[in-house]
Amino acid sequence: MTSTGAWMACPDMRAQSAVLVRGGAKVCDGVSLELRGGEFVALVGPNGAGKSSILAMLAGDLAPASGSVTMGGERIVDMDARVLARLRAVMTQGTDVTFPFSVRDVVQMGRYPWSDTPDAAGDDAAVSRAMSFVDVAHLADRTVTSLSGGERARVALARVLAQHTPILLLDEPTAALDIRHQELVLGLLRQRVADGCLVVVVLHDVQAAAAFADRVVLVDGGTVRAAGSPREVLTAEALSATYQFPVAVDHDAPGGASIVPVRRGGARPSL
Amino acid sequence: MSASGAVDARTTTAIVRRPLPVAVVLAVLLVAAVLASASIGAYSVPVGDVVGAVLRRMNLLSSVAADPVADEVIWVIRLPRIALAVVVGAALGCAGAVMQGAFGNPLAEPGVVGVSSGAMLGAATQIVTGFDPLGVWTLPLAAFLGGLVAVAWVYLSSRHEGRTEVLTLILMGIALNALASAAIGFLAFVADDASLRSLTSWTLGSLAQATWGKVGVVAPVAVLGALGAVSLARTLDLLSLGDHQARHLGVSVERARIRVLLVVALLAASAVAVSGVVLFVGLIVPHVVRAIVGPAHRALLPLSVLLGAVVVTVADTVARTLVSPAELPLGVVTALVGAPVFIWQIRRLRRIHGAWA
């Protein structure tokens, strides 16, 4: 339970027939999921499928209109904010910061749940380590407002890592990252999973999901269409139907699964 | 979203200036401003005699005053007024810093968004109705309640999904300011002569008719508010990221919000109860401090208290000496300096976020 070594025990998470209503519309309809430590779970699906909404319910940001979302058997929306923040860290899309905090300040905010605890002694070490993990240590004294999108995303990730929680809920953490940093981050998350953490990630990159996830949850129309190993879920039929675009899948391609849109007549029209 | 090629290093490197030396500089400036202000005026008193007058009053100096009139002017007229200026400035600077953090927006400040107007309406109602169950404390309490209603209203109506809608915030401020001034106009209409006089000396903000009694009433309110603000420093850092992110990091947002609203109402009330609406101090002061030591509230709040005190002390000195023997309203002086800064802020935000409508 120290900030340098192991995490707090990872509680199970469970969504049971969760229905979420936003602006009068049902954005999630009967979502049921069981999640536990030691799992890398990827939520995939088309735009507007409800992936971020599911993540928001798991994070405790939005309460289901019916059904339940629990952590360790307790309804998340009823949990104390401080207790919850020691168990799960969240990275949302659009992590804008209005004021020119330094990168170090922002990562330091990840230590807030541990203030007034013995673990606060490890704050500086945890912040430095988190920054070097995602390759932003050299930006420590820069203002976040001056960084590029990809750099800001990595800073947000560093903050999430500094929070030192057994559960990580991340909405498109790699969307703005270059190839090297995407692999760095996903590899790092794999490492966390090996250490017993639960990592739930919204991913648009289906190939990355196939390569890194233990379990893929295919979301469409606000509900779970399929859940299971990448090989079970990410089939040509299922993906083509969900994305309404022909997709070719080869899980045994050299260098990892190949999942690509079928571009008839070549991607570029020949003149 | 992408990095542009060459970026000015001054704007991209975080400010690492230490807050303590800045605090020392501001404290020295404050002492200098107080001494200068006490010395300048229709009846000019050398700075040495100002110090002498204070020391004699505190029985730290036994010599007889060379100029007894000067001692009276200093102690009875100027110093209470300066003390009020210090309290008002400290409260407004601090209130601005708290509001900008809690709203996550650099345009929030008690005057512009109508919190001061609310406090003023509360106080004006008390003056005109003459309802006075708590003696000297009734007026600050009335201002506090008015300010609390106003800040709660602005906050709740300008927030959407845990973030501030800037346009709504500013429009709500316009509406609240209009509503309050209409209500105060109505009160002035029904008021008797005596209450009308104290009401009008207020409307533009003035520290004339300062007494040590007033200082004794508003200073504790301001101190309470400032201590509350400082205790919220780290929470305000997180609240400035928006409600969702603050909650992700363990802030109990509902509870923090209530504490913020109470603190802002206390600070606004302590300022408004003696000076009426003084615009823009709460806007400029935190902005300048942020440019010097960065946006972290642990340094921002105490330094905004200090700089606010300096600014209003200087502004009030200008207000009472520039057109001497007549006096400018304090609110006019602060608005003259503050409005351009406000416009510049809006233009800067517009450049960053684009037009709002």
Side-chain angles (χ1 to χ4, degrees):
Chain A
M1 201 180 133
T2 63
S3 54
T4 46
W7 288 263
M8 291 179 81
C10 182
D12 292 347
M13 296 196 74
R14 170 182 290 190
Q16 276 178 310
S17 328
V19 174
L20 184 69
V21 178
R22 288 176 96 170
K26 265 188 194 176
V27 290
C28 292
D29 194 359
V31 172
S32 294
L33 282 172
E34 303 248 359
L35 308 162
R36 56 180 51 84
E39 255 191 329
F40 191 125
V41 180
L43 302 179
V44 302
N47 297 137
K51 307 181 294 291
S52 297
S53 296
I54 293 176
L55 205 73
M57 282 199 292
L58 293 173
D61 292 344
L62 301 172
S66 70
S68 67
V69 183
T70 59
M71 183 186 290
E74 219 181 321
R75 281 157 47 93
I76 292 174
V77 284
D78 294 339
M79 291 174 75
D80 177 71
R82 184 69 77 101
V83 172
L84 196 53
R86 290 176 193 161
L87 290 171
R88 64 96 181 88
V90 186
M91 178 179 166
T92 50
Q93 284 177 281
T95 44
D96 286 351
V97 178
T98 312
F99 297 114
F101 285 104
S102 72
V103 167
R104 193 191 306 278
D105 283 345
V106 171
V107 180
Q108 181 81 38
M109 290 178 190
R111 300 302 300 164
Y112 182 82
W114 302 101
S115 53
D116 309 318
T117 73
D119 285 12
D123 279 2
D124 290 345
V127 168
S128 306
R129 217 176 29 252
M131 286 195 297
S132 59
F133 272 151
V134 292
D135 191 26
V136 292
H138 61 290
L139 303 173
D141 292 323
R142 288 272 297 274
T143 57
V144 276
T145 39
S146 71
L147 301 180
S148 76
E151 288 169 330
R152 271 207 300 276
R154 270 147 57 207
V155 172
L157 264 167
R159 192 189 78 197
V160 158
L161 295 175
Q163 207 172 330
H164 215 82
T165 55
I167 299 177
L168 299 174
L169 307 172
L170 313 169
D171 199 346
E172 302 228 29
T174 55
L177 302 191
D178 57 42
I179 291 175
R180 177 169 83 90
H181 287 111
Q182 164 171 321
E183 295 303 302
L184 176 83
V185 164
L186 291 173
L188 194 70
L189 295 175
R190 255 313 341 153
Q191 191 68 50
R192 282 280 177 118
V193 169
D195 294 340
C197 291
L198 165 64
V199 174
V200 183
V201 185
V202 172
L203 279 180
H204 263 304
D205 184 343
V206 201
Q207 282 192 142
F212 287 92
D214 297 308
R215 193 139 64 103
V216 175
V217 177
L218 184 61
V219 182
D220 190 23
T223 192
V224 175
R225 292 287 172 214
S229 71
R231 208 173 270 273
E232 288 164 3
V233 174
L234 302 176
T235 63
E237 298 74 39
L239 291 176
S240 302
T242 326
Y243 287 96
Q244 293 174 32
F245 197 92
V247 177
V249 177
D250 179 4
H251 281 285
D252 301 310
S258 148
I259 303 173
V260 290
V262 181
R263 295 169 181 128
R264 293 185 206 290
R268 241 183 298 267
S270 44
L271 293 174
Chain B
M1 186 83 171
S2 68
S4 48
V7 197
D8 185 351
R10 279 173 311 171
T11 59
T12 58
T13 304
I15 298 110
V16 286
R17 227 160 301 169
R18 302 228 156 262
L20 196 63
V22 180
V24 172
V25 170
L26 285 178
V28 170
L29 272 178
L30 181 58
V31 172
V34 166
L35 289 177
S37 179
S39 145
I40 301 169
Y43 193 97
S44 178
V45 182
V47 171
D49 292 0
V50 172
V51 178
V54 173
L55 292 180
R56 268 189 291 280
R57 274 287 164 160
M58 301 171 97
N59 289 321
L60 292 172
L61 200 67
S62 53
S63 71
V64 181
D67 180 359
V69 179
D71 268 31
E72 284 303 300
V73 166
I74 294 298
W75 192 256
V76 179
I77 298 172
R78 290 216 186 126
L79 282 182
R81 179 170 186 155
I82 293 166
L84 279 186
V86 167
V87 169
V88 167
L92 289 176
C94 191
V98 172
M99 287 184 72
Q100 289 171 19
F103 281 86
N105 190 287
L107 292 180
E109 76 106 26
V112 172
V113 305
V115 179
S116 296
S117 287
M120 179 127 165
L121 180 56
T125 310
Q126 192 274 326
I127 287 183
V128 173
T129 59
F131 180 66
D132 191 5
L134 295 172
V136 291
W137 299 99
T138 317
L139 186 74
L141 181 68
F144 169 74
L145 292 177
L148 189 61
V149 171
V151 70
W153 169 255
V154 168
Y155 187 87
L156 294 176
S157 58
S158 69
R159 303 282 281 182
H160 179 69
E161 300 206 334
R163 297 189 79 101
T164 302
E165 291 177 341
V166 185
L167 193 61
T168 319
L169 174 75
I170 301 301
L171 292 178
M172 278 300 159
I174 293 174
L176 266 181
N177 282 326
L179 192 67
S181 77
I184 290 168
F186 175 76
L187 285 173
F189 189 71
V190 298
D192 56 42
D193 277 359
S195 39
L196 184 60
R197 250 197 311 281
S198 43
L199 209 64
T200 28
S201 82
W202 244 20
T203 2
L204 284 164
S206 166
L207 290 173
Q209 291 110 39
T211 62
W212 285 114
K214 283 187 186 172
V215 177
V217 173
V218 296
V221 181
V223 168
L224 197 64
L227 290 178
V230 171
S231 78
L232 279 169
R234 211 171 166 191
T235 309
L236 284 168
D237 285 347
L238 303 183
L239 281 179
S240 73
L241 305 178
D243 288 358
H244 284 323
Q245 293 201 59
R247 192 177 284 119
H248 294 157
L249 291 163
V251 175
S252 167
V253 174
E254 291 73 20
R255 222 175 309 156
R257 188 181 290 158
I258 290 169
R259 289 172 63 194
V260 164
L261 297 183
L262 287 173
V263 161
V264 170
L266 276 175
L267 292 166
S270 64
V272 168
V274 288
S275 70
V277 175
V278 176
L279 283 172
F280 297 124
V281 173
L283 181 81
I284 315 166
V285 165
H287 185 79
V288 171
V289 174
R290 219 178 274 119
I292 300 172
V293 295
H297 287 82
R298 212 158 41 167
L300 179 64
L301 291 169
L303 293 179
S304 294
V305 164
L306 278 174
L307 184 61
V310 173
V311 166
V312 174
T313 304
V314 172
D316 186 52
T317 311
V318 171
R320 70 179 167 80
T321 53
L322 198 65
V323 293
S324 173
E327 227 182 76
L328 283 172
L330 174 58
V332 167
V333 178
T334 61
L336 273 178
V337 185
V341 177
F342 186 65
I343 291 166
W344 168 60
Q345 271 293 297
I346 290 178
R347 292 178 63 92
R348 199 182 64 92
L349 282 178
R350 194 172 179 281
R351 230 180 9 252
I352 298 171
H353 301 296
W356 294 314

